[in-house]
């Protein structure tokens, strides 16, 4: 049976497993999202930030009966695990890098969950907002990834490429670490705070900076969607009335995401080299 569901192997993402009786409390103290009330089967997105609010990493986490597992972009593998371990101190939590032990299969499209539950009989499945369309991840043992992909394709899913997934993400305006987010970015600039920052929980690393921005001020930059008749290239400077206002961070098929000055309004026509790009959202 053919479906509109896409499937891809994303096992190259970094993965950590948090165990120990204080695992949820620990994450609650150092990440922007609430974790003390997380229940098995629930997932959360969260950022880790500095005392000044700049991001040091971004992850998606899933609670199981015995642990909390989290995954993040491959580009964070070298720095993120050590950055988190730095705050353990005497907390009763153990952090294991399971990047090589566990695999991740991305399933995207309407009906993804039903297909996943049928073709990948594992309980470790969670929703993801990383594409802007209905989608989720299935955690499987690394040795089972190939079988999981085969089962999903036999159930009607279509294998896809990272290029196609990027085009979907860009079309729907979803920021990604290494593109619209890096160590210089505030969560509010990337627009992830609505789903990854909990403004009502108690003190955590960088909480004061988040509160000041949220309740008293605003950020100077924001992520916008662009459309153009010609090709747009990542890294291209954007200007308005001959004044630089930002740069393209992701591009595909005449669409792009860009980090621009907050004053740039939707509908503005920006110069991107020799191409004119319209801010559509």
């Amino acid at each position: 049976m053919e479906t509109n569901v896409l499937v891809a192997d994303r096992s190259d993402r970094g993965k950590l497993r948090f165990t120990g009786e204080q695992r949820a409390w620990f994450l609650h103290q150092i990440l922007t999202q609430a974790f003390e009330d997380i229940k098995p089967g629930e997932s959360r997105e969260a950022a880790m930030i500095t005392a000044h609010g700049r991001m040091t990493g971004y992850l998606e986490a899933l609670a199981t009966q015995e642990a909390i597992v989290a995954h993040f972009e491959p580009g964070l593998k070298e720095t993120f695990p050590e950055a988190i371990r730095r705050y353990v101190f005497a907390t009763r939590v153990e952090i294991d890098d399971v990047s090589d032990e566990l695999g991740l299969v991305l399933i995207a499209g309407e009906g993804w969950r039903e297909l996943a539950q049928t073709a990948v009989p594992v309980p470790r499945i969670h929703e993801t907002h990383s594409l802007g369309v209905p989608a989720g991840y299935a955690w499987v043992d690394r040795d089972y990834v190939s079988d999981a992909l085969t089962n999903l394709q036999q159930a009607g899913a279509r294998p896809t490429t990272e290029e196609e997934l990027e085009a979907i993400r860009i079309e729907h305006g979803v920021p990604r670490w290494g593109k619209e987010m890096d160590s210089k970015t505030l969560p509010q600039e990337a627009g992830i705070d609505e789903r990854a920052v909990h403004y009502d929980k108690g003190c955590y690393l960088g909480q004061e900076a988040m509160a000041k921005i949220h309740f008293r001020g605003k950020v100077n930059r924001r992520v916008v969607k662009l459309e153009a008749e010609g090709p747009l290239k990542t890294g291209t400077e954007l200007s308005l009335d001959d004044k630089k206002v930002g740069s393209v961070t992701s591009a595909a098929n005449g669409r792009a995401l860009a980090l621009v000055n907050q004053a740039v309004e939707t509908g503005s026509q920006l110069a991107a080299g020799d191409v004119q790009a319209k801010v559509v959202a």
Side-chain angles (χ1 to χ4, degrees), residues 71-132:
H71 61 90
F72 42 88
E73 291 288 350
L76 285 168
K77 282 182 178 180
E78 296 297 321
T79 58
F80 198 39
E82 185 56 37
I84 288 180
R85 288 191 180 101
R86 208 174 293 144
Y87 293 94
V88 172
F89 302 119
T91 310
R92 292 187 293 279
V93 61
E94 294 183 9
I95 306 173
D96 297 305
D97 191 324
V98 291
S99 298
D100 296 329
E101 177 184 338
L102 297 176
L104 275 175
V105 176
L106 176 68
I107 311 111
E110 294 287 349
W112 73 268
R113 187 182 291 275
E114 293 79 7
L115 194 69
Q117 291 172 336
T118 300
V120 190
V122 296
R124 295 175 297 188
I125 296 174
H126 72 85
E127 181 181 16
T128 179
H129 300 99
S130 57
L131 298 177

Side-chain angles (χ1 to χ4, degrees), residues 9-19 64 66-72 77 85 94-105 122 124 138-146:
D9 181 3
R10 280 194 163 176
S11 299
D12 62 337
R13 291 176 67 82
K15 309 172 202 74
L16 295 176
R17 179 171 57 214
F18 301 84
T19 54
T64 69
E66 304 84 17
I68 295 175
V69 288
H71 61 90
F72 42 88
K77 282 182 178 180
R85 288 191 180 101
E94 294 183 9
I95 306 173
D96 297 305
D97 191 324
V98 291
S99 298
D100 296 329
E101 177 184 338
L102 297 176
L104 275 175
V105 176
V122 296
R124 295 175 297 188
W139 292 76
V140 298
D141 291 342
R142 197 67 179 255
D143 293 339
Y144 183 65
V145 170
S146 179

Side-chain angles (χ1 to χ4, degrees), residues 149-188:
L149 292 169
T150 298
N151 291 347
L152 285 161
Q153 290 174 42
Q154 289 177 345
R158 175 172 67 82
T160 186
T161 63
E162 282 299 321
E163 289 76 18
E164 184 176 9
L165 293 173
E166 270 292 272
I168 293 171
R169 178 185 72 85
I170 292 166
E171 180 182 356
H172 290 86
V174 181
R176 184 175 186 177
W177 183 270
K179 302 287 188 175
E180 291 70 44
M181 299 183 278
D182 58 25
S183 59
K184 298 178 182 178
T185 312
L186 299 166
Q188 292 93 338

Side-chain angles (χ1 to χ4, degrees), residues 188-242:
Q188 292 93 338
E189 291 177 329
I192 61 166
D193 52 309
E194 288 188 7
R195 66 175 184 268
V197 178
H198 195 293
Y199 287 106
D200 296 325
K201 75 170 187 169
C203 187
Y204 63 91
L205 180 64
Q207 185 265 344
E208 185 176 352
M210 289 296 93
K212 283 182 178 179
I213 294 171
H214 183 62
F215 294 111
R216 301 181 189 175
K218 62 180 181 180
V219 291
N220 295 323
R221 304 183 298 172
R222 68 186 180 103
V223 174
V224 298
K225 291 168 59 177
L226 303 176
E227 287 186 0
E229 293 183 0
L232 294 168
K233 295 182 180 180
T234 300
T236 301
E237 287 190 359
L238 298 168
S239 59
L240 179 63
D241 298 330
D242 295 325

